[in-house]
Amino acid sequence: MALRRLLALVGAGLLLSSTACGGASEEGGGDDGSSSRGSTAPSPDTAARAAELLADMSLEEKVGQLFVATVSGTQAQDNADLIETYHPGGLIYFPENLSDPEQVATLSNGLQDLAADSGAGIPLFLGIDQEQGMVARLPFGARFPDAMAIGATRDPQAAATLAGTTAAELSALGINLDYAPVADVNVNAANPVIGVRSFGSDPELVATMVPAQAEAFEEAGVVPVVKHFPGHGDTDVDSHTGLPVVDKTREEWERVDLPPFRQAVEAGVDMIMTAHVVMPAIDGSGEPSTLSPEVIDGVLRGELGYDGVVTTDALNMEGVRQTHDDGEIAVRAVLAGADQLLMPPDLATAHAAVLAAVEEGRIDRERLDASVRRVLELKLERGLFDAAPADPDHARDTVGSAEHRRAAQEVADRSVTLLRNEGDVLPLAEGARVHVTGAGAQEISAALEELGRTVTGSAGEADVVVVGTQGARGDAEQQAMVESAGSSDTPVVVVAQGTPYDIVAIAEPDGYLATYSSVEVSRTAAARVLTGEVNPSGRLPVDIPGTDLGLGDGLTY
């Protein structure tokens, strides 16, 4: 086993890790695995090395490369049996696995060592959901605002800054894959699962941000995963708990949801994730897109010409578990065209089902090889075979560095959008007394005091009341809090820290700021805009139904 690993390292060490992204292939990707990602095929050396590795793998090892399992515990040895038994293609981290940078770097090294000594010695994709904002699994490090805040800057460089900084921290921890960016176009204000995770409701804006972020991840050595194809931005059901149906025409889907994914394919992105949504205009079977050959092999591979790695969304989500048992779900995902199966609820059951389907001929062996070849080629292209171990000391010094925190603050400052300023209540005057309540009150108050404003203990003592909201559109208690604050003659300024749609459900305040995020840098940015330390420059990345506010709106001082 160790010898096979050594041979793999020798062969891969002669390769250069490609970060080039080409245009889309004119021809659809076939199951022979020979088509390109975008217009850039794997180099001959990469393709040949992948073929050599594939030829040396057992059937069980090949099937293992299709699976990405959750990590157990905080030490590599906690996962030894899993790796030795199933030879997974990847593992995914969650907060319970992560305590500090040194521990994570050590854990990553140990997991890769276990993989090197197991089976064919194929290195692991070590992944994480680190979109930033509300979806950030690392309990430490630089914390950027949500994607919608990035959309409000209107600057693809802000998306690249987020991705490049995040990737630098992940790489220091030995994490080589991030399940980001989100390419969904959030056109449904009631969307319970995407919302601020989307760059906005404008297909062109989202289509600009997605490849900028994906390319920055790749350049920093982290595999990006563009999600959730064919689009989760127009749903009112959370696919974690149910199965959303996106009931729109094919033409509307092509106009609204498709552009960001088309741009991702044309940019040659490494990996695309499917959505557990039903799209009747593409597939009338009622199956979620994750299990739909029409969606994956038909549209994504055949029509768009994508031949990169396709991963499912997590298979433990209820959106994909409505009509089949867990083993059958894994088999159907492979038959639909998926290359990696993320987080099956029972790895043993799913692995056995796929293995049996191959042995019985239900899954063609060439079909299996095509997926494994794509996975191996990507691991070779991104340098996983010759990657140096993570340095725990470097991880400690890099993750959450002052430079990275400054980058996050600068992006947050540029995102804040001023939508109301009646009577020029903002910026707050030099000697203004301010009472802060609601979401983020502690962080906003601290930032205001640092900027020389007096924060009072009650609204009656204040010249201005600042009310923080987060999801007030669906929260009567928050709505009542804003209404109560405005019952006196004291001006009220709302700082909306979720989606900007709160404005439709609250009593008209004198001032209204949208930060699109509740992370600390966004709350600090709100205080900096409230005081005039930062001139608001963010612009709405969404239309707000029921108002005259739309894309591009935003006031300044």
Side-chain angles (χ1 to χ4, degrees):
M1 293 179 186
L3 177 61
R4 294 164 73 185
R5 169 64 170 165
L6 178 61
L7 291 173
L9 286 169
V10 171
L14 300 176
L15 305 178
L16 293 176
S17 177
S18 169
T19 57
C21 296
S25 171
E26 293 298 321
E27 298 179 357
D31 273 348
D32 64 357
S34 61
S35 299
S36 64
R37 294 186 179 87
S39 64
T40 306
S43 71
D45 284 342
T46 298
R49 187 65 198 129
E52 290 175 16
L53 290 166
L54 187 66
D56 198 30
M57 295 172 69
S58 69
L59 178 59
E60 290 79 5
E61 291 165 358
K62 291 178 182 179
V63 170
Q65 285 299 301
L66 304 186
F67 288 96
V68 176
T70 53
V71 172
S72 295
T74 58
Q75 299 181 53
Q77 202 59 34
D78 298 331
N79 302 271
D81 289 345
L82 182 152
I83 292 172
E84 181 63 33
T85 302
Y86 298 108
H87 315 291
L91 298 172
I92 181 170
Y93 287 133
F94 282 91
E96 56 266 30
N97 309 125
L98 317 169
S99 58
D100 58 63
E102 297 97 321
Q103 174 265 328
V104 179
T106 301
L107 173 61
S108 297
N109 292 340
L111 292 171
Q112 295 291 15
D113 287 343
L114 288 170
D117 291 334
S118 171
I122 308 300
L124 295 159
F125 283 135
L126 292 179
I128 194 168
D129 266 320
Q130 192 72 6
E131 297 172 13
Q132 293 286 7
M134 68 183 294
V135 179
R137 307 302 188 198
L138 286 179
F140 45 75
R143 192 76 174 271
F144 281 76
D146 292 87
M148 195 171 284
I150 309 303
T153 70
R154 298 302 176 106
D155 183 5
Q157 184 56 48
T161 296
L162 181 154
T165 306
T166 302
E169 299 201 343
L170 296 181
S171 294
L173 297 168
I175 298 172
N176 53 40
L177 182 148
D178 192 358
Y179 291 99
V182 171
D184 304 314
V185 182
N186 198 79
V187 293
N188 190 333
N191 196 319
V193 66
I194 302 301
V196 294
R197 297 168 64 195
S198 166
F199 290 109
S201 65
D202 177 17
E204 184 177 347
L205 174 65
V206 180
T208 300
M209 295 293 184
V210 167
Q213 195 166 92
E215 182 179 356
F217 273 119
E218 292 173 1
E219 289 180 349
V222 171
V223 171
V225 181
V226 174
K227 59 190 186 184
H228 311 79
F229 187 82
H232 209 316
D234 194 11
T235 61
D236 56 10
V237 173
D238 184 346
S239 56
H240 291 84
T241 58
L243 179 57
V245 177
V246 182
D247 195 8
K248 58 175 58 174
T249 66
R250 171 72 186 243
E251 292 73 22
E252 186 180 4
W253 171 74
E254 289 182 356
R255 179 178 61 83
V256 176
D257 301 275
L258 178 58
F261 293 103
R262 187 188 296 279
Q263 285 297 106
V265 171
E266 291 179 355
V269 296
D270 287 342
M271 194 177 294
I272 293 177
M273 176 185 284
T274 63
H276 304 327
V277 301
V278 173
M279 188 79 73
I282 300 176
D283 180 358
S285 71
E287 290 280 20
S289 296
T290 295
L291 307 182
S292 170
E294 287 79 4
V295 172
I296 302 177
D297 274 343
V299 176
L300 182 55
R301 294 211 191 279
E303 295 181 26
L304 299 181
Y306 183 67
D307 196 43
V309 175
V310 173
T311 179
T312 70
D313 204 343
L315 295 182
N316 62 0
M317 294 165 59
E318 289 305 312
V320 77
R321 303 178 75 194
Q322 302 288 307
T323 55
H324 309 290
D325 64 42
D326 291 332
E328 180 66 9
I329 287 167
V331 171
R332 288 183 177 241
V334 175
L335 290 171
D339 303 306
Q340 289 215 301
L341 311 179
L342 177 62
M343 293 170 58
D346 186 328
L347 177 59
T349 296
H351 186 279
V354 173
L355 183 61
V358 176
E359 291 174 335
E360 294 164 3
R362 186 178 174 196
I363 296 175
D364 188 274
R365 293 196 181 225
E366 290 184 3
R367 167 70 192 83
L368 173 65
D369 284 354
S371 282
V372 179
R373 186 180 296 113
R374 290 187 190 105
V375 171
L376 294 175
E377 287 173 353
L378 181 54
K379 289 180 176 182
L380 287 163
E381 288 173 1
R382 293 292 163 240
L384 269 64
F385 282 85
D386 55 351
D391 180 347
D393 291 337
H394 175 66
R396 180 195 61 232
D397 296 339
T398 299
V399 179
S401 69
E403 178 186 0
H404 290 176
R405 293 197 304 271
R406 280 195 300 272
Q409 188 63 63
E410 289 170 4
V411 169
D413 287 350
R414 296 176 56 202
S415 70
V416 179
T417 307
L418 178 63
L419 295 176
R420 285 182 66 86
N421 193 18
E422 298 299 313
D424 290 331
V425 64
L426 298 175
L428 298 172
E430 281 289 340
R433 296 167 298 170
V434 189
H435 177 66
V436 186
T437 188
Q442 183 174 345
E443 293 93 334
I444 295 171
S445 294
L448 286 172
E449 288 178 330
E450 285 188 12
L451 293 165
R453 301 307 187 271
T454 300
V455 176
T456 67
S458 68
E461 303 173 272
D463 300 311
V464 176
V465 176
V466 173
V467 181
T469 65
Q470 188 175 356
R473 186 171 178 268
D475 188 332
E477 185 176 340
Q478 290 189 66
Q479 295 169 25
M481 181 171 56
V482 176
E483 186 173 357
S484 175
S487 61
S488 68
D489 292 333
T490 306
V492 174
V493 176
V494 169
V495 178
Q497 296 155 56
T499 64
Y501 309 123
D502 285 4
I503 199 169
V504 305
I506 59 179
E508 290 191 356
D510 300 279
Y512 187 93
L513 292 179
T515 67
Y516 315 96
S517 191
S518 59
V519 298
E520 184 176 356
V521 290
S522 292
R523 289 169 170 170
T524 298
R528 289 159 67 85
V529 169
L530 289 170
T531 61
E533 180 77 13
V534 168
N535 199 7
S537 60
R539 296 294 178 264
L540 266 180
V542 296
D543 291 315
I544 301 183
T547 74
D548 58 359
L549 294 169
L551 285 163
D553 284 347
L555 306 173
T556 191
Y557 298 147

